[in-house]
Amino acid sequence: MGLRIHFTYEDLARVVLAEEPDPLWEGLLSLHLLQNRDGPLVFGHWRRATRGSFDPALSRLRHLAPPRGYSADFLTPTSASAGFEAGVDALLSTPRARLRTDLTELSLARPLPSWARPLADGDTQALRGLGGLVRRHHERFVAPFWTHVRTRFDEARSVAARAMLRSGFAGLAAGLHPSVRWSAPVLYIAGAHLRGDLHLQGRGLRIIPSFFCWPGPIVLKDGSLPPVLVHPVTHDPRWLAPPRTAGAGTHQALAALLGRSRAAVLEEVVEGRTTSEMALRLGISPATVSHHVSVLRESGLLTSRRIGGAVLHTVTGLGTDLLGSGPTRGVRPRPKAVVRVDR
């Protein structure tokens, strides 16, 4: 099982990284996670935090985006790349042929309720009702957590852009997800939910890091639509966990981090650095840098990802908070920026 994406030379020249998180993709994928128990360590607190936001009317969306199998392609229009409102406007303008095609595909797996008929006919009132449900879902389950979505998106995009600059598309592909493998001119994506071949035919590929994508990459089922590859970002499992009371162990851990060299390493990874780059910039040995990185990583202050023959280190949200709290004098605080054939 798996998907094969076939590239031409023209496609490789037209690979682009999304500049902003896609709010409608985040809405769709968060809807999946609300219907299953996947990723309990990462999304458990989020599910509990939003439990009181349940709205019976939103259950209609679950018919269009079940937790397993196909979800309607029209729920993630390309225009959402320009923002949530642009995405909703595009959804309300979905052609009748697209509505009928996607709803027919959904009906092959399970019967659809009666309200799906006017939607398939392109009824204006039915489309407005759908837009209202998408908006309410976004406001309750996605928008309150957009800072986290944006932070992880920015980090993933930075890593991907750096990989492409260093090693071209092969380097970018290697860092997307463990299920992704590049063997020119084909990108292989393993997964029980993916199958078949997607021929890009000169259209290129838009790559979108996604906060709520889990557990692996996803693409649109209809190969005639503009090709996109949505992949999971790297998560800090404590992103929504209740803050812990500082105890003796916490103070000891922080004390171990306040040395000048280790603070300098943490400052450097704000911009994203490899081990060798930090050793050169700080004037210390790569072995010493590796030791400091190991301590910082185990403390949850940075993450590391291999790009070709190098390892790129980036600061986590917890590391950002530490830098901004002022205990490490001289360290610059980082502004808080914060792959679907069959879904």
Side-chain angles (χ1 to χ4, degrees):
M1 302 289 284
L3 171 67
R4 296 173 295 273
I5 303 179
H6 300 263
F7 287 72
T8 64
Y9 288 115
E10 186 177 358
D11 292 314
L12 288 172
R14 299 185 66 182
V15 171
V16 296
L17 297 173
E19 296 184 1
E20 303 286 340
D22 190 305
L24 292 197
W25 269 107
E26 298 297 349
L28 171 71
L29 297 170
S30 67
L31 186 59
H32 289 172
L33 289 169
L34 287 171
Q35 299 176 76
N36 58 41
R37 297 183 179 180
D38 290 354
L41 184 62
V42 173
F43 299 108
H45 287 290
W46 168 73
R47 290 190 183 99
R48 289 188 288 274
T50 58
R51 192 170 294 158
S53 301
F54 176 73
D55 182 341
L58 293 178
S59 62
R60 286 193 173 192
L61 290 177
R62 302 184 180 190
H63 290 280
L64 304 178
R68 299 285 186 266
Y70 173 71
S71 293
D73 284 338
F74 63 74
L75 291 173
T76 52
T78 304
S79 299
S81 61
F84 180 73
E85 294 301 332
V88 172
D89 288 344
L91 180 63
L92 297 179
S93 303
T94 304
R96 182 183 302 177
R98 168 55 51 195
L99 293 168
R100 287 187 172 178
T101 296
D102 292 0
L103 291 171
T104 298
E105 182 72 26
L106 279 169
S107 69
L108 297 178
R110 59 188 62 82
L112 293 178
S114 58
W115 55 259
R117 170 57 63 182
L119 184 61
D121 291 337
D123 180 79
T124 302
Q125 185 174 353
L127 276 168
R128 287 177 180 171
L130 174 61
L133 293 177
V134 169
R135 185 181 301 280
R136 283 153 68 181
H137 175 85
H138 177 80
E139 291 173 350
R140 298 184 184 199
F141 298 101
V142 178
F145 310 98
W146 196 250
T147 297
H148 300 287
V149 172
R150 183 66 202 230
T151 297
R152 291 292 173 260
F153 174 89
D154 287 343
E155 290 174 355
R157 190 178 190 277
S158 176
V159 169
R162 191 182 183 99
M164 181 172 280
L165 287 172
R166 180 182 293 271
S167 307
F169 181 74
L172 169 63
L176 289 179
H177 192 265
S179 66
V180 176
R181 179 174 62 87
W182 171 248
S183 180
V186 180
L187 186 69
Y188 297 87
I189 308 176
H193 62 297
L194 300 168
R195 61 172 60 89
D197 296 88
L198 173 60
H199 294 270
L200 299 180
Q201 298 176 324
R203 295 174 295 168
L205 182 67
R206 185 165 172 262
I207 298 175
I208 309 175
S210 169
F211 187 87
F212 289 108
C213 184
W214 191 273
I218 193 171
V219 301
L220 293 165
K221 180 178 179 62
D222 190 337
S224 68
L225 293 170
V228 297
L229 174 62
V230 182
H231 69 91
V233 300
T234 300
H235 285 281
D236 179 352
R238 298 166 296 179
W239 70 279
L240 205 57
R244 294 182 298 177
T245 302
T250 302
H251 290 301
Q252 291 173 2
L254 287 176
L257 292 173
L258 294 180
R260 179 176 297 179
S261 295
R262 198 163 294 159
V265 168
L266 185 61
E267 180 185 15
E268 284 295 324
V269 299
V270 166
E271 304 298 332
R273 301 289 185 197
T274 65
T275 301
S276 58
E277 285 173 342
M278 284 191 285
L280 181 63
R281 289 173 63 88
L282 298 175
I284 57 180
S285 70
T288 300
V289 170
S290 295
H291 171 69
H292 291 321
V293 163
S294 177
V295 174
L296 292 167
R297 185 170 54 243
E298 290 173 3
S299 301
L301 299 176
L302 61 77
T303 60
S304 303
R305 178 178 297 185
R306 179 165 294 280
I307 300 177
V311 178
L312 180 68
H313 310 290
T314 54
V315 71
T316 65
L318 183 61
T320 299
D321 290 340
L322 179 62
L323 290 173
S325 64
T328 50
R329 181 173 299 178
V331 178
R332 297 188 307 271
R334 180 192 185 193
K336 287 191 178 180
V338 134
V339 190
R340 152 171 108 178
V341 160
D342 184 4
R343 298 190 283 197

